[in-house]
Amino acid sequence: MKKIFPYAIMLLAGTFALTSCDDDRDSNPTLTQPQSFTLNAPAITGNVDLEKSAIVALTWSQPRPYTNFDAPVVPTYKVQISPTGAFNKEFDANLEDNTGADYFTLDESYSSGQNVEINTSTINRGLIMLNGWDAPSKVPSLLDLAIRVKACIQDAGFREYATIFSNVVSLKAVPYYMELKPADPEIWWLIGADIADGSWGSTLGQSVIPLQTFADQEYDSKTGQGIISWTGYLGGNGFKLVKTPGNWDDQWGQGDGGFVKNDGGSGNITVSEAGIYTVTLSTATDELTVEKQSITPKVFDGMAISGSFNDWSDTEMTPCSTGWENHDWYISTSLDAGAEIKVKQKDSWDFNKGGTFIEYSEGMYVYGEDNGPNLVISESGQYLIIFNDITGFIRFIKQ
């Protein structure tokens, strides 16, 4: 069982729900919080070119521990940026009018302040949204960039309490123009003893399997949230969901009253009877279901990719699961721009999938069609291909 996420939510549960008469109020436990913490100046010489640099590395001191019931509570940290350093009004992506907003909170959250790497493209995107730069001519050649870190406690509903801020550090940054495309659909990954090789590892395809989007679903253009799912075999050995393979900050597990999100004390999700199940997650409403399906899908003895790159012969894919019934496959391969490709049954064209790619930031995906058009690669590169033979969904991840 994986118990990685801190016990903050569980320990905090009683703090804000407590009500009592005046006689015993003084004895009620309260949340003790620090007042400040220190963001260290990054080791940067000169200006930060946000287009040419990959990351900005940050570290900050852990605040004197938040405590509740005399037990430590681990806070959540988020990085905030501002071109003015004022930090008076936060940009809100859900609002149509952000007039006067002077700082932006980056999406990523952290559970410690050690060796934090901030993607420069994320910083640049935040600056474009905050400043409304809608053309290359609007982007300044150099600007001041103020950075601070927010620490807070989140309850089970992700409401924030006991928020404090670090000091502000200032840099000089070189921004660049980028088109603000709709956000990628938010994808979560299955992991556990029932999934792929059952190792609880973080290797894509080999150890973790992605949930998929739906062609007829709408996904929020700002957040990427919507409904995603996976269909395959579960044997009852247990699994969880993680948002980022290798990181347990965002996870789904089993609690006493059902499925729970971001509870480090949660158990593994198990099914009482082995069979084919559909795992469905609404990332917009935080609703998770695991439902047994009354289907008997074909179990293939092999799957392959075939195309112009291998003279339409078979290059075999690897089954994700080898110890039980498998319906997910993966392969890593180099493909040139213009190459045509299909996913097919090994040694047969009776079962083959094609279609039209949908581009996203990490590659492409396609809702595979039986005997569909050849898939045409738009950009040369090394791709990890993950395929589900029940749904026909194919994900290409550029490596």
Side-chain angles (χ1 to χ4, degrees), residues 225-256:
Q225 293 178 336
I227 297 175
I228 55 177
S229 81
W230 168 87
T231 298
Y233 180 85
L234 296 175
N237 300 301
F239 68 96
K240 283 191 172 186
L241 285 77
V242 292
K243 186 176 182 181
T244 304
N247 185 327
W248 285 92
D249 285 351
D250 295 301
Q251 60 168 289
W252 278 92
Q254 180 75 52
D256 292 338

Short mmCIF file of all heavy atoms in Angstrom, two decimals, residues 225-256:
data_model
loop_
_atom_site.label_atom_id
_atom_site.label_comp_id
_atom_site.label_asym_id
_atom_site.label_seq_id
_atom_site.Cartn_x
_atom_site.Cartn_y
_atom_site.Cartn_z
N GLN A 225 -10.03 20.24 -17.65
CA GLN A 225 -10.80 19.30 -16.84
C GLN A 225 -12.02 18.77 -17.60
O GLN A 225 -12.61 19.46 -18.43
CB GLN A 225 -11.24 19.96 -15.54
CG GLN A 225 -10.08 20.28 -14.62
CD GLN A 225 -10.50 20.99 -13.35
OE1 GLN A 225 -11.55 21.63 -13.30
NE2 GLN A 225 -9.68 20.89 -12.31
N GLY A 226 -12.37 17.53 -17.31
CA GLY A 226 -13.50 16.88 -17.95
C GLY A 226 -13.54 15.42 -17.51
O GLY A 226 -12.99 15.06 -16.47
N ILE A 227 -14.16 14.58 -18.32
CA ILE A 227 -14.32 13.16 -17.98
C ILE A 227 -13.32 12.32 -18.76
O ILE A 227 -13.20 12.43 -19.97
CB ILE A 227 -15.76 12.69 -18.28
CG1 ILE A 227 -16.76 13.45 -17.40
CG2 ILE A 227 -15.90 11.19 -18.03
CD1 ILE A 227 -18.21 13.14 -17.70
N ILE A 228 -12.60 11.45 -18.03
CA ILE A 228 -11.63 10.54 -18.63
C ILE A 228 -11.88 9.14 -18.08
O ILE A 228 -12.49 8.98 -17.02
CB ILE A 228 -10.17 10.98 -18.34
CG1 ILE A 228 -9.93 11.14 -16.83
CG2 ILE A 228 -9.85 12.27 -19.07
CD1 ILE A 228 -8.50 11.51 -16.45
N SER A 229 -11.40 8.11 -18.79
CA SER A 229 -11.66 6.74 -18.32
C SER A 229 -10.64 5.77 -18.88
O SER A 229 -9.85 6.09 -19.77
CB SER A 229 -13.08 6.29 -18.71
OG SER A 229 -13.10 5.86 -20.05
N TRP A 230 -10.71 4.56 -18.34
CA TRP A 230 -9.91 3.42 -18.83
C TRP A 230 -10.75 2.18 -18.69
O TRP A 230 -11.50 2.03 -17.70
CB TRP A 230 -8.63 3.28 -18.01
CG TRP A 230 -7.88 1.99 -18.22
CD1 TRP A 230 -6.95 1.72 -19.18
CD2 TRP A 230 -7.99 0.78 -17.44
NE1 TRP A 230 -6.47 0.44 -19.04
CE2 TRP A 230 -7.10 -0.17 -17.98
CE3 TRP A 230 -8.77 0.43 -16.34
CZ2 TRP A 230 -6.96 -1.45 -17.46
CZ3 TRP A 230 -8.63 -0.85 -15.81
CH2 TRP A 230 -7.73 -1.78 -16.38
N THR A 231 -10.66 1.27 -19.65
CA THR A 231 -11.35 -0.01 -19.56
C THR A 231 -10.33 -1.13 -19.72
O THR A 231 -9.53 -1.13 -20.67
CB THR A 231 -12.44 -0.14 -20.64
OG1 THR A 231 -13.42 0.89 -20.43
CG2 THR A 231 -13.13 -1.50 -20.57
N GLY A 232 -10.35 -2.08 -18.80
CA GLY A 232 -9.42 -3.19 -18.86
C GLY A 232 -9.69 -4.18 -17.74
O GLY A 232 -10.68 -4.09 -17.01
N TYR A 233 -8.77 -5.10 -17.59
CA TYR A 233 -8.92 -6.20 -16.62
C TYR A 233 -8.36 -5.79 -15.26
O TYR A 233 -7.24 -5.27 -15.15
CB TYR A 233 -8.19 -7.43 -17.13
CG TYR A 233 -8.29 -8.63 -16.21
CD1 TYR A 233 -9.38 -9.50 -16.28
CD2 TYR A 233 -7.28 -8.90 -15.28
CE1 TYR A 233 -9.47 -10.60 -15.43
CE2 TYR A 233 -7.36 -10.00 -14.43
CZ TYR A 233 -8.46 -10.85 -14.51
OH TYR A 233 -8.54 -11.93 -13.68
N LEU A 234 -9.15 -6.05 -14.20
CA LEU A 234 -8.70 -5.87 -12.82
C LEU A 234 -8.87 -7.19 -12.09
O LEU A 234 -9.93 -7.82 -12.15
CB LEU A 234 -9.51 -4.78 -12.12
CG LEU A 234 -9.38 -3.36 -12.66
CD1 LEU A 234 -10.33 -2.41 -11.94
CD2 LEU A 234 -7.95 -2.85 -12.54
N GLY A 235 -7.82 -7.60 -11.37
CA GLY A 235 -7.84 -8.89 -10.71
C GLY A 235 -8.12 -8.84 -9.22
O GLY A 235 -8.17 -9.89 -8.57
N GLY A 236 -8.26 -7.64 -8.65
CA GLY A 236 -8.53 -7.53 -7.22
C GLY A 236 -7.30 -7.38 -6.36
O GLY A 236 -7.37 -7.52 -5.13
N ASN A 237 -6.15 -7.07 -6.97
CA ASN A 237 -4.91 -6.94 -6.21
C ASN A 237 -4.63 -5.52 -5.73
O ASN A 237 -3.71 -5.31 -4.95
CB ASN A 237 -3.73 -7.41 -7.07
CG ASN A 237 -3.88 -8.87 -7.47
OD1 ASN A 237 -3.98 -9.74 -6.62
ND2 ASN A 237 -3.93 -9.12 -8.77
N GLY A 238 -5.38 -4.56 -6.22
CA GLY A 238 -5.26 -3.19 -5.75
C GLY A 238 -4.59 -2.26 -6.73
O GLY A 238 -3.67 -2.63 -7.46
N PHE A 239 -5.07 -1.01 -6.73
CA PHE A 239 -4.47 0.02 -7.58
C PHE A 239 -4.82 1.39 -7.02
O PHE A 239 -5.65 1.53 -6.11
CB PHE A 239 -4.94 -0.11 -9.03
CG PHE A 239 -6.41 0.21 -9.24
CD1 PHE A 239 -6.81 1.47 -9.65
CD2 PHE A 239 -7.38 -0.76 -9.03
CE1 PHE A 239 -8.15 1.77 -9.83
CE2 PHE A 239 -8.73 -0.47 -9.21
CZ PHE A 239 -9.12 0.80 -9.61
N LYS A 240 -4.21 2.41 -7.57
CA LYS A 240 -4.53 3.81 -7.28
C LYS A 240 -4.45 4.61 -8.58
O LYS A 240 -4.08 4.07 -9.63
CB LYS A 240 -3.57 4.39 -6.24
CG LYS A 240 -3.86 3.96 -4.81
CD LYS A 240 -3.05 4.79 -3.80
CE LYS A 240 -3.49 4.50 -2.37
NZ LYS A 240 -2.83 5.39 -1.38
N LEU A 241 -4.78 5.89 -8.49
CA LEU A 241 -4.61 6.81 -9.60
C LEU A 241 -3.65 7.91 -9.16
O LEU A 241 -3.72 8.38 -8.02
CB LEU A 241 -5.93 7.45 -10.03
CG LEU A 241 -6.93 6.62 -10.82
CD1 LEU A 241 -7.67 5.64 -9.90
CD2 LEU A 241 -7.93 7.51 -11.55
N VAL A 242 -2.75 8.31 -10.05
CA VAL A 242 -1.87 9.44 -9.80
C VAL A 242 -1.95 10.40 -10.98
O VAL A 242 -2.15 9.99 -12.11
CB VAL A 242 -0.40 9.01 -9.58
CG1 VAL A 242 -0.25 8.23 -8.29
CG2 VAL A 242 0.13 8.20 -10.75
N LYS A 243 -1.81 11.68 -10.68
CA LYS A 243 -1.85 12.68 -11.74
C LYS A 243 -0.53 12.74 -12.50
O LYS A 243 -0.51 12.91 -13.72
CB LYS A 243 -2.18 14.06 -11.15
CG LYS A 243 -2.39 15.14 -12.19
CD LYS A 243 -2.80 16.45 -11.55
CE LYS A 243 -3.05 17.52 -12.59
NZ LYS A 243 -3.44 18.81 -11.96
N THR A 244 0.56 12.58 -11.76
CA THR A 244 1.89 12.64 -12.37
C THR A 244 2.68 11.42 -11.95
O THR A 244 2.99 11.27 -10.76
CB THR A 244 2.65 13.91 -11.92
OG1 THR A 244 1.87 15.07 -12.23
CG2 THR A 244 4.00 14.00 -12.63
N PRO A 245 2.99 10.50 -12.86
CA PRO A 245 3.78 9.33 -12.49
C PRO A 245 5.10 9.72 -11.81
O PRO A 245 5.81 10.61 -12.29
CB PRO A 245 4.04 8.64 -13.85
CG PRO A 245 2.86 9.05 -14.69
CD PRO A 245 2.58 10.47 -14.28
N GLY A 246 5.37 9.08 -10.69
CA GLY A 246 6.56 9.40 -9.92
C GLY A 246 6.34 10.45 -8.85
O GLY A 246 7.25 10.75 -8.07
N ASN A 247 5.12 11.01 -8.78
CA ASN A 247 4.80 12.03 -7.78
C ASN A 247 3.47 11.67 -7.13
O ASN A 247 2.46 11.50 -7.82
CB ASN A 247 4.71 13.40 -8.46
CG ASN A 247 4.51 14.55 -7.48
OD1 ASN A 247 3.87 14.39 -6.46
ND2 ASN A 247 5.05 15.70 -7.82
N TRP A 248 3.47 11.56 -5.80
CA TRP A 248 2.27 11.13 -5.08
C TRP A 248 1.49 12.29 -4.47
O TRP A 248 0.58 12.09 -3.68
CB TRP A 248 2.65 10.12 -4.00
CG TRP A 248 2.97 8.78 -4.58
CD1 TRP A 248 4.19 8.32 -4.96
CD2 TRP A 248 2.05 7.72 -4.87
NE1 TRP A 248 4.10 7.06 -5.47
CE2 TRP A 248 2.79 6.66 -5.43
CE3 TRP A 248 0.68 7.58 -4.72
CZ2 TRP A 248 2.20 5.47 -5.82
CZ3 TRP A 248 0.07 6.39 -5.11
CH2 TRP A 248 0.83 5.35 -5.66
N ASP A 249 1.84 13.55 -4.82
CA ASP A 249 1.12 14.68 -4.26
C ASP A 249 -0.35 14.65 -4.65
O ASP A 249 -1.22 15.03 -3.87
CB ASP A 249 1.75 16.00 -4.72
CG ASP A 249 3.06 16.30 -4.00
OD1 ASP A 249 3.37 15.57 -3.05
OD2 ASP A 249 3.75 17.24 -4.40
N ASP A 250 -0.65 14.24 -5.89
CA ASP A 250 -2.03 14.16 -6.36
C ASP A 250 -2.36 12.69 -6.64
O ASP A 250 -1.79 12.09 -7.56
CB ASP A 250 -2.22 14.99 -7.64
CG ASP A 250 -2.04 16.47 -7.38
OD1 ASP A 250 -2.77 17.01 -6.54
OD2 ASP A 250 -1.15 17.08 -8.01
N GLN A 251 -3.29 12.11 -5.87
CA GLN A 251 -3.58 10.69 -5.98
C GLN A 251 -5.04 10.43 -5.58
O GLN A 251 -5.66 11.22 -4.87
CB GLN A 251 -2.66 9.87 -5.08
CG GLN A 251 -2.77 10.23 -3.60
CD GLN A 251 -2.08 9.24 -2.68
OE1 GLN A 251 -2.55 8.12 -2.51
NE2 GLN A 251 -0.96 9.67 -2.09
N TRP A 252 -5.56 9.30 -6.03
CA TRP A 252 -6.86 8.78 -5.61
C TRP A 252 -6.64 7.41 -4.97
O TRP A 252 -5.90 6.57 -5.51
CB TRP A 252 -7.80 8.64 -6.79
CG TRP A 252 -8.51 9.91 -7.20
CD1 TRP A 252 -8.08 10.80 -8.14
CD2 TRP A 252 -9.75 10.40 -6.70
NE1 TRP A 252 -8.98 11.82 -8.25
CE2 TRP A 252 -10.02 11.60 -7.39
CE3 TRP A 252 -10.66 9.93 -5.76
CZ2 TRP A 252 -11.17 12.35 -7.15
CZ3 TRP A 252 -11.81 10.68 -5.53
CH2 TRP A 252 -12.06 11.88 -6.21
N GLY A 253 -7.31 7.17 -3.84
CA GLY A 253 -7.25 5.87 -3.18
C GLY A 253 -8.59 5.51 -2.58
O GLY A 253 -9.62 6.13 -2.87
N GLN A 254 -8.58 4.50 -1.70
CA GLN A 254 -9.80 4.02 -1.06
C GLN A 254 -9.84 4.48 0.38
O GLN A 254 -8.90 4.26 1.14
CB GLN A 254 -9.85 2.48 -1.11
CG GLN A 254 -11.08 1.87 -0.49
CD GLN A 254 -12.30 2.01 -1.37
OE1 GLN A 254 -12.27 1.65 -2.54
NE2 GLN A 254 -13.38 2.53 -0.81
N GLY A 255 -10.96 5.13 0.76
CA GLY A 255 -11.17 5.52 2.15
C GLY A 255 -12.29 4.71 2.77
O GLY A 255 -12.88 3.84 2.12
N ASP A 256 -12.59 5.00 4.02
CA ASP A 256 -13.65 4.25 4.72
C ASP A 256 -15.01 4.43 4.07
O ASP A 256 -15.80 3.50 4.00
CB ASP A 256 -13.71 4.68 6.19
CG ASP A 256 -12.48 4.26 6.97
OD1 ASP A 256 -11.81 3.30 6.53
OD2 ASP A 256 -12.19 4.88 8.00
#
